[in-house]
Amino acid sequence: MKEHLTGDAAAAAALAHLLADHPELSSVIWSVGEKPGVLTGHQINETGHGEIVDTCAKAMGGHVARTSHYRENDGHGVAQLVTVYDEVPVQVWASYPLPDSTITAAELRRVLTGRRLGVVADIEGGDEK
């Protein structure tokens, strides 16, 4: 009889399975236990457009949502995926600078942390310049 894991044990098992099948996702900073029973991951990028989240979506399924914030001609983007993998809720996000961006990683982290699963950060300014 196969043991059915729950909570953080299920999230840890899902992470082990995910990285065994998709080692290209090892550059994401993964967490188990930050939110009980949820596998979370993030990556703060200096370049690109959060492509690692697209790779996660290909591996786990789901749709990537992108938002951007501009302040005085400076911008920052966020790619986010909320999905289920191996019956475990998963939330992954990546941040990246937009051209001429000056928002700091600390500012973005403050906006993104502490949100409930499935809530996309409402960054003032949206996609407008």
Side-chain angles (χ1 to χ4, degrees):
M1 185 169 103
K2 184 178 177 184
E3 181 181 345
H4 182 72
L5 301 173
T6 61
D8 290 346
L15 177 59
H17 178 213
L18 179 66
L19 294 179
D21 288 354
H22 303 279
E24 68 276 15
L25 299 179
S26 63
S27 65
V28 174
I29 299 171
W30 295 101
S31 298
V32 171
E34 184 177 299
K35 297 176 183 178
V38 178
L39 175 59
T40 59
H42 73 276
Q43 187 178 75
I44 299 173
N45 299 302
E46 300 298 323
T47 62
H49 292 93
E51 291 87 350
I52 191 70
V53 180
D54 296 313
T55 304
C56 288
K58 287 178 186 171
M60 295 183 279
H63 174 75
V64 177
R66 284 188 163 73
T67 59
S68 58
H69 168 67
Y70 287 92
R71 180 177 51 203
E72 299 179 17
N73 296 326
D74 292 326
H76 212 86
V78 176
Q80 182 176 6
L81 171 68
V82 177
T83 191
V84 175
Y85 182 75
D86 283 356
E87 300 180 21
V88 172
V90 180
Q91 181 179 17
V92 185
W93 61 266
S95 67
Y96 49 91
L98 296 173
D100 301 317
S101 177
T102 61
I103 190 169
T104 66
E107 290 173 311
L108 186 61
R109 184 172 301 219
R110 190 170 47 254
V111 170
L112 294 175
T113 56
R115 293 172 300 128
R116 293 188 331 265
L117 179 64
V119 175
V120 176
D122 183 15
I123 302 174
E124 185 179 327
D127 287 323
E128 300 172 14
K129 275 191 171 181

